[in-house]
Amino acid sequence: MRRQIPLIITFIVGSVLIISVFIPHKPFGQLGENFSVYFDIIAVFAFILGAGNLLRVHGNRIYRKHKDWPYSVVTVAGFTVMMIAGLFKIGGSPGITGDLTEPGSMFEELYMYVFTPLMATMFALLAFFVASASHRAFRAKNKEATVLLLAAFVILLGRTPFGVKLTSWLPDPLSFLEIPNLASWIMSVPNMAGQRAIMVGIALGVIAMALRVILGVERTYLGADSE
Amino acid sequence: MNPDKPKMGFFETIANIDRRVIFLFVGFAVIIPVLLSFSCREEATPIVQSIFDKIESLPEGSKVLMSFDYGPSTVPEVQPMVDAFLRHCCEKNLKIYMMALWGTGHNLISESMEDIIKEEFPHKVYGLDYVNLGFKAGQQGLINVILTDLKKMYTTDALGSEIDAVPMMVDIRNLKSFDLILSMGGGFPGIKEWVLFGGDPGNIPVAGGATAVSAPLLYPYYPRQLLGLLGGIKGAAEYESALIKGYPKFKTYSHPGIDMMGPQTVAHIVIVLFIVIGNITFFMGRKKEEEEKREGGALK
């Protein structure tokens, strides 16, 4: 029963959602809408599950003094402080309908002055690693790598006014060779063709996987003891 | 100095350059233009201009849904786009509905409201000209629901007011009530999900702004399913330039997109130079290896 009930639920919900796309009328349209609302409600509970899991995993690391356990202390402390600041709306309007992000509230201050700079710093570090990696790995070792390298050059320069200035002297009949135009062409022709091919491939894979899940062939989502 | 250690040639030194030196160069490439206020004006490309033209063509009072689908990590890239869109919509007297598919977007709505709408357009009234619907969980599932019934998910606004007590929400039924959807971000859920679950089934124009790394993934939807796209800082700078061109009064306002194009230009040039140097050292090294092999073969 532990396996059969989830399989039956998956089959019914999956089938109804597919039918509701092709027959958006009663009862399928209504059922499809209701299932989407259930999904949103379940998604909210997933946060509670996620929070519990985070505390369990990091609590265990701290308790057992695993490698790098002080980082887990920081994670748990950050999570607890943000949760208390948000739940009790410290410094903001009290009550269940009080605005969490009211200027001056502790949650908003922590978000603006701690969370935002930390996240922005992490993302900004990418520029340094990209530069270093480009220097070491971006080599014209063969024909394919050379094409990739040339495309990267055109895009890198085409995304800046320097690229415009570099080839702005070209006469009108040769304007298609201007770096920004080449960059635009690379993005909207070869890039788009490649992306579309990947997307079609992924879509076909998703359809196949969805059918396997709905029909109960694929059962890994049920956990380790699904077989 | 170790006399036994073989002396490295110029190209070998460059090839084995410490990565901290590269970091230093990139750091200077960004810091110096910022200190010198080196900025560059941009011309709007068609993919950006199409969003500007669409907003420009909307009659006064049209409804624009703006979804804040990003977090603090991408604020430097995405926020200039959001600011430019908000300015344009406010200037055109459009009604702005703000929501978030990302939990981190909730605070960014409040910040944008404070910094742009309340600061620069103080005559705009909350509930009449703009509303904050806040964050709701559900990702693409949320879009799927509000496509047919928005009030099923939004019973109050982010401030806790009853949704029907907000004047500009009275005649909103579902996503089809909006004239334009702007999704800001580019991650998951984001522009792609708005196109697939909102724009396409509801036949509602969708446009947006994404980080430079995620913009190429969205090109397949342009122009039939995606009206236009701002890609990275350049996209933001192009939109700001179009806005200044259309409304010269915005020239005196902050334009972080245009300001950041200077550091980005120099940083790109530095990266290109490092790639060129890397390739020169690679070919020199390969040539040396071949010569050594040839010499070794001749000795045998």
Side-chain angles (χ1 to χ4, degrees):
Chain A
M1 284 300 270
R2 275 181 67 191
R3 277 178 291 151
Q4 280 154 340
I5 290 174
L7 285 173
I8 293 166
I9 294 172
T10 309
F11 177 76
I12 295 170
V13 174
S15 308
V16 169
L17 281 171
I18 290 177
I19 296 168
S20 70
V21 174
F22 297 101
I23 312 169
H25 305 289
K26 280 183 181 174
F28 300 111
Q30 192 62 39
L31 277 171
E33 262 179 49
N34 288 342
F35 285 151
S36 297
V37 175
Y38 299 160
F39 173 78
D40 294 342
I41 295 167
I42 293 166
V44 176
F45 284 100
F47 285 117
I48 301 169
L49 200 70
N53 197 39
L54 181 121
L55 288 176
R56 192 177 63 84
V57 170
H58 287 279
N60 194 31
R61 275 191 196 166
I62 296 165
Y63 181 71
R64 293 181 193 279
K65 295 258 167 44
H66 272 203
K67 189 178 171 254
D68 295 334
W69 66 272
Y71 295 120
S72 294
V73 175
V74 175
T75 306
V76 173
F79 172 79
T80 313
V81 169
M82 280 303 268
M83 196 174 68
I84 290 169
L87 278 180
F88 298 103
K89 293 174 183 163
I90 301 167
S93 305
I96 196 130
T97 56
D99 183 17
L100 191 70
T101 59
E102 199 175 80
S105 67
M106 191 181 169
F107 187 83
E108 177 66 8
E109 301 281 302
L110 284 169
Y111 184 91
M112 261 182 88
Y113 300 114
V114 181
F115 187 55
T116 302
L118 284 174
M119 293 291 280
T121 306
M122 284 300 290
F123 199 66
L125 286 176
L126 269 180
F128 296 92
F129 294 119
V130 165
S132 174
S134 306
H135 171 65
R136 284 168 212 289
F138 234 152
R139 303 276 158 89
K141 287 177 182 165
N142 49 42
K143 268 186 262 175
E144 291 84 359
T146 311
V147 170
L148 194 69
L149 190 67
L150 288 173
F153 258 59
V154 171
I155 297 290
L156 272 169
L157 291 174
R159 304 292 293 170
T160 64
F162 179 70
V164 180
K165 288 201 173 77
L166 210 63
T167 47
S168 58
W169 52 271
L170 281 168
D172 274 350
L174 294 175
S175 63
F176 67 94
L177 287 175
E178 285 179 17
I179 289 178
N181 294 339
L182 283 177
S184 208
W185 180 82
I186 289 171
M187 291 291 275
S188 52
V189 181
N191 166 62
M192 198 195 286
Q195 295 289 354
R196 278 194 178 151
I198 293 168
M199 281 166 66
V200 170
I202 292 172
L204 291 172
V206 168
I207 291 170
M209 190 64 183
L211 284 174
R212 283 173 62 87
V213 171
I214 290 168
L215 297 173
V217 180
E218 179 63 53
R219 297 177 183 195
T220 44
Y221 70 96
L222 293 172
D225 55 346
S226 60
E227 289 308 318
Chain B
M1 220 176 132
N2 184 359
D4 299 332
K5 199 177 170 185
K7 207 178 164 187
M8 273 206 289
F10 174 74
F11 287 110
E12 277 173 318
T13 312
I14 296 285
N16 297 313
I17 195 167
D18 192 327
R19 67 179 181 162
R20 284 171 296 188
V21 176
I22 300 173
F23 293 169
L24 210 60
F25 270 97
V26 175
F28 283 132
V30 175
I31 293 166
I32 293 170
V34 169
L35 293 176
L36 298 176
S37 303
F38 169 58
S39 65
C40 307
R41 180 63 62 85
E42 289 285 327
E43 278 294 318
T45 48
I47 197 166
V48 172
Q49 188 67 40
S50 56
I51 310 179
F52 184 87
D53 293 342
K54 175 67 186 179
I55 294 179
E56 204 57 16
S57 70
L58 291 174
E60 202 169 292
S62 296
K63 299 171 185 76
V64 176
L65 179 72
M66 196 183 266
S67 187
F68 288 60
D69 310 328
Y70 63 106
S73 59
T74 51
V75 158
E77 251 184 310
V78 181
Q79 196 60 40
M81 306 174 192
V82 173
D83 294 354
F85 281 143
L86 283 176
R87 280 184 187 130
H88 198 184
C89 291
C90 285
E91 189 62 26
K92 287 284 299 172
N93 289 322
L94 307 179
K95 291 189 187 300
I96 308 165
Y97 300 77
M98 290 171 279
M99 60 170 284
L101 294 179
W102 285 35
T104 45
H106 187 99
N107 294 62
L108 297 167
I109 297 175
S110 304
E111 283 168 29
S112 303
M113 267 167 46
E114 290 293 325
D115 297 346
I116 302 296
I117 305 177
K118 287 183 187 170
E119 182 86 22
E120 297 175 6
F121 302 89
H123 58 282
K124 296 283 175 189
V125 183
Y126 182 85
L128 281 177
D129 301 304
Y130 63 98
V131 66
N132 177 4
L133 296 171
F135 162 70
K136 282 268 185 275
Q139 302 174 341
Q140 67 271 44
L142 175 73
I143 306 174
N144 208 21
V145 174
I146 63 174
L147 176 67
T148 49
D149 190 352
L150 188 129
K151 288 171 187 170
K152 210 175 221 176
M153 290 307 294
Y154 291 94
T155 51
T156 65
D157 69 353
L159 308 181
S161 310
E162 281 293 321
I163 204 74
D164 283 324
V166 179
M168 62 190 286
M169 288 303 296
V170 173
D171 55 346
I172 295 291
R173 285 183 58 238
N174 51 38
L175 277 185
K176 290 167 198 160
S177 306
F178 296 102
D179 300 289
L180 177 65
I181 297 170
L182 292 171
S183 169
M184 311 309 302
F188 174 82
I191 297 173
K192 188 178 164 186
E193 284 64 39
W194 277 107
V195 169
L196 299 180
F197 295 92
D200 270 5
N203 200 20
I204 314 149
V206 178
T211 53
V213 286
S214 47
L217 307 173
L218 297 162
Y219 266 71
Y221 300 104
Y222 172 76
R224 287 184 66 184
Q225 294 160 286
L226 189 65
L227 183 78
L229 181 72
L230 308 191
I233 285 299
K234 184 171 160 63
E238 286 180 22
Y239 202 88
E240 285 174 354
S241 296
L243 202 57
I244 290 169
K245 204 172 167 187
Y247 302 92
K249 73 168 194 175
F250 286 123
K251 200 174 180 179
T252 54
Y253 288 52
S254 68
H255 32 68
I258 293 173
D259 293 344
M260 279 192 269
M261 276 310 285
Q264 175 162 301
T265 301
V266 181
H268 277 202
I269 292 168
V270 167
I271 293 173
V272 166
L273 287 176
F274 272 116
I275 296 173
V276 171
I277 293 167
N279 275 281
I280 292 171
T281 53
F282 168 69
F283 283 113
M284 294 299 284
R286 201 154 76 169
K287 199 178 161 192
K288 201 177 164 189
E289 260 176 41
E290 280 168 10
E291 277 172 6
E292 279 171 1
K293 264 187 199 169
R294 228 176 290 139
E295 280 169 16
L299 280 173
K300 275 180 189 174

